[in-house]
Amino acid sequence: MFKIGTYLPTKILSNEDLEYLGWSTKKIFAKTGIKQRHITLENETALDLAHKACEDLFFKYQIDKNEVDYILYCTQSPDYNLPNNVSILHKRLNLSNDIPTLEFNQGCSGYIYGLSLSKALINSNLAKKVLLVTSDTYTKYIDNQDRTNKTIFGDGSTATLLTESEVNKFGEFIFGTDGRGAVNLCVNNSGLSKEKITHDGFEDKLFMNGSEIFNFTIETIPTSIEKILEKNKLNFEEINYFLFHQANDFMLEHLREKLNIPKEKFPKFIENTGNTVSSTIPFLINDLNEKKSLKKGDKLLLIGFGVGYSWGTTIIEY
């Protein structure tokens, strides 16, 4: 289950490289739980990463790419406002023109949205093999003097192949949106609107109000977990692994302690990648796969949350 291809850019930005921002290497790690992050080269884009993640998936699992009959692509850092990245990815993969493609902008909850869309497409007989791609390059939006964002975010991409056997293991989903939080994580001047969400000094860069996002997360996530357990008729103790969006270690540990989740049920994959936005959960699942930590019948609670505000959660039986 969960055939996932991945790609991380070859350029690495270590904590030592970021000491010019005024924090020591140890302080950066203590605040974020991150030692290094992968970042794109100047001429490398989210589309490039996505292509390489797909090729990794096909090679690693010996998949005939021509069997793919639907592509879902999640990104918040497209190469162009138009055309969409997924059309160009389709061309690069040299797939049949009969394949429908859909691109959506969803950020940190994007993988959960993509899983639900895949389930709906397959269960309604609109597709048999869905290629779900996540790819973000937030680092291109970050000012070099922005200590908070520069130390947290990294770039990366994943590609997941989903078929009937996988989506039949998906439980019920819960989603939520609170557009009042849109101003707290945004890139100004990134679209066509004349009404800018302005923050002084961040006119065309990524702005994040960390304290407000932290408050939103702490208030929203525990309730969402209660609801998803109830909706799937499961108890807290029946969950084998809680797979959270890998925002930063401070937030993750606060949530883990608040929810009283045992450390052994709360894996992380952030130390050497940073926050890769829509790709953090599939990166985490892939890491557990490679470590052979997951066994048949394990129940995984997945939850993504962030920009929008937007959140989504589900429970999957492995």
Side-chain angles (χ1 to χ4, degrees):
M1 188 180 178
F2 274 107
K3 296 181 177 68
I4 299 175
T6 64
Y7 185 75
L8 289 162
T10 57
K11 184 177 179 181
I12 291 175
L13 189 68
S14 69
N15 287 352
E16 288 83 357
D17 296 327
L18 294 174
E19 286 188 329
Y20 76 89
L21 292 168
W23 286 347
S24 68
T25 297
K26 289 183 178 179
K27 187 170 184 177
I28 295 171
F29 182 70
K31 283 183 168 290
T32 64
I34 300 166
K35 289 183 178 179
Q36 64 177 37
R37 63 290 293 147
H38 294 250
I39 63 170
T40 46
L41 301 171
E42 184 177 355
N43 63 345
E44 192 174 29
T45 70
L47 181 59
D48 297 323
L49 306 192
H51 185 198
K52 290 176 180 177
C54 290
E55 294 292 356
D56 180 63
L57 169 71
F58 300 146
F59 176 78
K60 188 161 58 176
Y61 292 100
Q62 294 299 292
I63 293 168
D64 180 0
K65 65 182 181 181
N66 294 306
E67 293 181 3
V68 170
D69 58 3
Y70 211 114
I71 305 175
L72 296 173
Y73 184 113
C74 177
T75 187
Q76 290 200 309
S77 46
D79 291 38
Y80 312 97
N81 283 333
L82 58 101
N84 54 13
N85 271 19
V86 70
S87 295
I88 306 172
L89 176 64
H90 171 274
K91 178 180 181 294
R92 288 193 184 181
L93 293 174
N94 194 27
L95 298 176
S96 164
N97 289 350
D98 296 332
I99 297 174
T101 62
L102 174 66
E103 185 166 320
F104 59 102
N105 176 327
Q106 200 59 40
C108 308
S109 62
Y111 192 66
I112 310 300
Y113 273 78
L115 293 180
S116 71
L117 288 170
S118 299
K119 180 179 180 179
L121 289 168
I122 291 170
N123 286 348
S124 60
N125 295 317
L126 290 173
K128 291 184 177 180
K129 292 190 177 182
V130 177
L131 179 63
L132 171 58
V133 180
T134 61
S135 191
D136 281 297
T137 55
Y138 261 34
T139 66
K140 292 187 181 298
Y141 296 140
I142 298 173
D143 188 274
N144 284 331
Q145 301 303 316
D146 183 351
R147 183 165 60 188
T148 299
N149 289 324
K150 195 81 174 174
T151 55
I152 289 176
F153 289 102
D155 300 329
S157 180
T158 73
T160 306
L161 186 71
L162 295 161
T163 67
E164 186 177 8
S165 62
E166 281 85 31
V167 302
N168 283 345
K169 298 288 188 178
F170 295 0
E172 300 295 327
F173 288 78
I174 284 179
F175 297 100
T177 306
D178 183 356
R180 291 173 297 179
V183 296
N184 293 320
L185 185 53
C186 61
V187 179
N188 291 298
N189 304 321
S190 57
L192 301 178
S193 175
K194 301 298 183 183
E195 296 181 12
K196 303 300 182 184
I197 305 174
T198 56
H199 300 282
D200 291 341
F202 293 89
E203 282 72 22
D204 61 350
K205 297 294 183 181
L206 179 69
F207 171 82
M208 181 171 69
N209 186 330
S211 60
E212 285 299 318
I213 291 175
F214 179 83
N215 291 338
F216 145 72
T217 303
I218 297 305
E219 291 171 5
T220 305
I221 300 314
T223 303
S224 296
I225 289 177
E226 288 179 12
K227 289 180 178 179
I228 199 64
L229 288 169
E230 181 180 353
K231 193 170 185 180
N232 285 279
K233 297 179 174 58
L234 290 169
N235 296 319
F236 186 89
E237 293 74 21
E238 294 179 86
I239 302 300
N240 299 97
Y241 290 103
F242 293 82
L243 307 183
F244 280 40
H245 163 56
Q246 304 289 286
N248 64 72
D249 195 63
F250 176 79
M251 183 180 290
L252 289 172
E253 278 302 299
H254 194 94
L255 285 167
R256 186 188 67 79
E257 291 174 5
K258 183 179 179 69
L259 292 162
N260 198 27
I261 302 173
K263 285 188 175 182
E264 62 271 17
K265 288 189 173 187
F266 198 77
K268 298 175 187 174
F269 190 77
I270 191 172
E271 186 173 300
N272 294 308
T273 61
N275 179 342
T276 53
V277 195
S278 61
S279 294
T280 67
I281 293 174
F283 268 127
L284 178 56
I285 295 171
N286 182 68
D287 184 56
L288 293 171
N289 273 337
E290 291 185 346
K291 291 176 178 176
K292 301 187 184 307
S293 299
L294 302 175
K295 62 182 184 296
K296 187 175 180 180
D298 277 351
K299 291 180 175 60
L300 317 177
L301 190 152
L302 282 57
I303 186 162
F305 47 87
V307 62
Y309 299 135
S310 168
W311 60 97
T313 180
T314 190
I315 294 174
I316 293 173
E317 184 176 315
Y318 191 75

